[in-house]
Short mmCIF file of all heavy atoms in Angstrom, two decimals:
data_model
loop_
_atom_site.label_atom_id
_atom_site.label_comp_id
_atom_site.label_asym_id
_atom_site.label_seq_id
_atom_site.Cartn_x
_atom_site.Cartn_y
_atom_site.Cartn_z
N ARG H 13 118.78 87.99 97.58
CA ARG H 13 119.95 87.48 96.87
C ARG H 13 120.51 86.25 97.53
O ARG H 13 121.61 85.85 97.27
CB ARG H 13 121.03 88.56 96.86
CG ARG H 13 120.59 89.84 96.21
CD ARG H 13 120.50 89.70 94.74
NE ARG H 13 119.17 89.63 94.27
CZ ARG H 13 118.86 89.53 93.01
NH1 ARG H 13 119.76 89.47 92.08
NH2 ARG H 13 117.63 89.47 92.63
N GLY H 14 119.78 85.69 98.48
CA GLY H 14 120.26 84.46 99.12
C GLY H 14 120.69 84.68 100.55
O GLY H 14 121.07 83.74 101.24
N ALA H 15 120.64 85.91 101.02
CA ALA H 15 121.08 86.19 102.38
C ALA H 15 120.09 85.69 103.42
O ALA H 15 120.43 85.50 104.57
CB ALA H 15 121.28 87.69 102.57
N VAL H 16 118.84 85.47 103.02
CA VAL H 16 117.82 85.06 103.98
C VAL H 16 117.29 83.69 103.61
O VAL H 16 116.56 83.55 102.64
CB VAL H 16 116.66 86.07 104.01
CG1 VAL H 16 115.61 85.62 105.01
CG2 VAL H 16 117.18 87.44 104.37
N PRO H 17 117.65 82.67 104.36
CA PRO H 17 117.13 81.34 104.05
C PRO H 17 115.66 81.25 104.44
O PRO H 17 115.21 81.94 105.35
CB PRO H 17 117.97 80.42 104.96
CG PRO H 17 118.36 81.30 106.11
CD PRO H 17 118.52 82.68 105.54
N SER H 18 114.93 80.42 103.72
CA SER H 18 113.54 80.20 104.08
C SER H 18 113.47 79.48 105.42
O SER H 18 114.20 78.52 105.66
CB SER H 18 112.85 79.36 103.01
OG SER H 18 111.56 79.02 103.44
N LEU H 19 112.60 79.95 106.30
CA LEU H 19 112.44 79.32 107.61
C LEU H 19 111.33 78.28 107.59
O LEU H 19 111.18 77.53 108.55
CB LEU H 19 112.11 80.37 108.67
CG LEU H 19 113.12 81.51 108.84
CD1 LEU H 19 112.62 82.48 109.89
CD2 LEU H 19 114.47 80.97 109.21
N GLY H 20 110.52 78.28 106.54
CA GLY H 20 109.34 77.43 106.52
C GLY H 20 109.51 76.19 105.67
O GLY H 20 110.08 76.23 104.60
N PHE H 21 109.00 75.10 106.17
CA PHE H 21 109.00 73.85 105.42
C PHE H 21 107.61 73.26 105.50
O PHE H 21 106.91 73.44 106.48
CB PHE H 21 110.00 72.86 106.03
CG PHE H 21 111.39 73.38 106.09
CD1 PHE H 21 111.86 74.01 107.24
CD2 PHE H 21 112.24 73.27 105.02
CE1 PHE H 21 113.14 74.51 107.32
CE2 PHE H 21 113.53 73.77 105.07
CZ PHE H 21 113.99 74.39 106.23
N PRO H 22 107.20 72.56 104.45
CA PRO H 22 105.87 71.94 104.48
C PRO H 22 105.71 71.06 105.71
O PRO H 22 106.57 70.22 106.00
CB PRO H 22 105.84 71.10 103.19
CG PRO H 22 106.81 71.79 102.28
CD PRO H 22 107.89 72.31 103.18
N GLY H 23 104.65 71.30 106.45
CA GLY H 23 104.40 70.48 107.63
C GLY H 23 105.21 70.87 108.83
O GLY H 23 105.18 70.19 109.86
N ASP H 24 105.95 71.93 108.78
CA ASP H 24 106.78 72.36 109.90
C ASP H 24 105.89 73.00 110.95
O ASP H 24 105.46 74.13 110.83
CB ASP H 24 107.81 73.39 109.41
CG ASP H 24 108.75 73.83 110.52
OD1 ASP H 24 108.52 73.43 111.68
OD2 ASP H 24 109.70 74.57 110.23
N THR H 25 105.60 72.28 112.03
CA THR H 25 104.69 72.79 113.05
C THR H 25 105.37 73.83 113.92
O THR H 25 104.72 74.49 114.72
CB THR H 25 104.20 71.63 113.94
OG1 THR H 25 105.33 70.94 114.47
CG2 THR H 25 103.36 70.66 113.14
N GLY H 26 106.66 74.00 113.76
CA GLY H 26 107.35 75.02 114.53
C GLY H 26 107.06 76.42 114.04
O GLY H 26 107.30 77.39 114.74
N LEU H 27 106.52 76.54 112.84
CA LEU H 27 106.21 77.87 112.30
C LEU H 27 104.87 78.34 112.84
O LEU H 27 103.92 77.58 112.93
CB LEU H 27 106.15 77.83 110.78
CG LEU H 27 107.47 78.05 110.05
CD1 LEU H 27 107.23 77.97 108.56
CD2 LEU H 27 108.08 79.39 110.40
N SER H 28 104.80 79.60 113.20
CA SER H 28 103.57 80.15 113.73
C SER H 28 102.59 80.47 112.60
O SER H 28 102.94 80.46 111.44
CB SER H 28 103.86 81.42 114.51
OG SER H 28 104.18 82.44 113.58
N LEU H 29 101.39 80.81 113.00
CA LEU H 29 100.39 81.22 112.02
C LEU H 29 100.82 82.47 111.29
O LEU H 29 100.52 82.66 110.12
CB LEU H 29 99.04 81.45 112.70
CG LEU H 29 98.31 80.18 113.15
CD1 LEU H 29 97.05 80.55 113.91
CD2 LEU H 29 97.96 79.32 111.94
N SER H 30 101.54 83.37 112.00
CA SER H 30 101.95 84.59 111.33
C SER H 30 102.94 84.30 110.21
O SER H 30 102.95 84.99 109.19
CB SER H 30 102.54 85.60 112.32
OG SER H 30 103.74 85.13 112.86
N ALA H 31 103.77 83.28 110.38
CA ALA H 31 104.69 82.92 109.30
C ALA H 31 103.91 82.40 108.11
O ALA H 31 104.18 82.76 106.96
CB ALA H 31 105.69 81.87 109.79
N GLU H 32 102.93 81.54 108.37
CA GLU H 32 102.12 81.03 107.28
C GLU H 32 101.36 82.16 106.60
O GLU H 32 101.06 82.11 105.42
CB GLU H 32 101.13 79.97 107.80
CG GLU H 32 101.80 78.68 108.24
CD GLU H 32 102.55 78.00 107.11
OE1 GLU H 32 102.14 78.13 105.94
OE2 GLU H 32 103.57 77.35 107.39
N ALA H 33 101.05 83.20 107.37
CA ALA H 33 100.25 84.30 106.84
C ALA H 33 101.05 85.20 105.90
O ALA H 33 100.48 86.05 105.23
CB ALA H 33 99.70 85.14 107.98
N MET H 34 102.37 85.02 105.83
CA MET H 34 103.18 85.91 105.01
C MET H 34 102.78 85.86 103.54
O MET H 34 103.10 86.75 102.77
CB MET H 34 104.67 85.58 105.17
CG MET H 34 105.22 85.87 106.55
SD MET H 34 105.20 87.61 107.02
CE MET H 34 106.81 88.12 106.43
N LYS H 35 102.10 84.79 103.14
CA LYS H 35 101.70 84.66 101.73
C LYS H 35 100.34 85.29 101.43
O LYS H 35 99.89 85.25 100.29
CB LYS H 35 101.67 83.18 101.35
CG LYS H 35 103.05 82.52 101.39
CD LYS H 35 103.03 81.15 100.74
CE LYS H 35 102.37 80.12 101.64
NZ LYS H 35 102.48 78.76 101.08
N ILE H 36 99.72 85.88 102.44
CA ILE H 36 98.33 86.32 102.23
C ILE H 36 98.20 87.52 101.30
O ILE H 36 97.09 87.87 100.92
CB ILE H 36 97.63 86.65 103.57
CG1 ILE H 36 98.25 87.90 104.22
CG2 ILE H 36 97.68 85.47 104.51
CD1 ILE H 36 97.46 88.38 105.41
N ASN H 37 99.29 88.15 100.92
CA ASN H 37 99.17 89.34 100.08
C ASN H 37 99.11 89.02 98.60
O ASN H 37 99.15 89.92 97.77
CB ASN H 37 100.32 90.31 100.35
CG ASN H 37 101.61 89.85 99.69
OD1 ASN H 37 101.96 88.68 99.74
ND2 ASN H 37 102.33 90.78 99.09
N GLN H 38 99.00 87.74 98.23
CA GLN H 38 99.04 87.36 96.82
C GLN H 38 97.88 87.97 96.02
O GLN H 38 97.97 88.09 94.81
CB GLN H 38 99.04 85.84 96.68
CG GLN H 38 100.35 85.22 97.10
CD GLN H 38 100.37 83.70 96.92
OE1 GLN H 38 99.47 83.12 96.32
NE2 GLN H 38 101.40 83.06 97.44
N ASN H 39 96.80 88.35 96.70
CA ASN H 39 95.67 88.97 95.98
C ASN H 39 95.37 90.34 96.59
O ASN H 39 94.24 90.81 96.55
CB ASN H 39 94.43 88.08 96.04
CG ASN H 39 93.30 88.62 95.16
OD1 ASN H 39 93.53 89.13 94.07
ND2 ASN H 39 92.08 88.52 95.65
#
Side-chain angles (χ1 to χ4, degrees):
R13 302 287 106 179
V16 180
S18 173
L19 302 179
F21 302 94
D24 183 354
T25 55
L27 272 180
S28 73
L29 287 176
S30 66
E32 291 299 329
M34 293 295 270
K35 295 191 285 186
I36 68 171
N37 77 317
Q38 289 182 9
N39 188 38

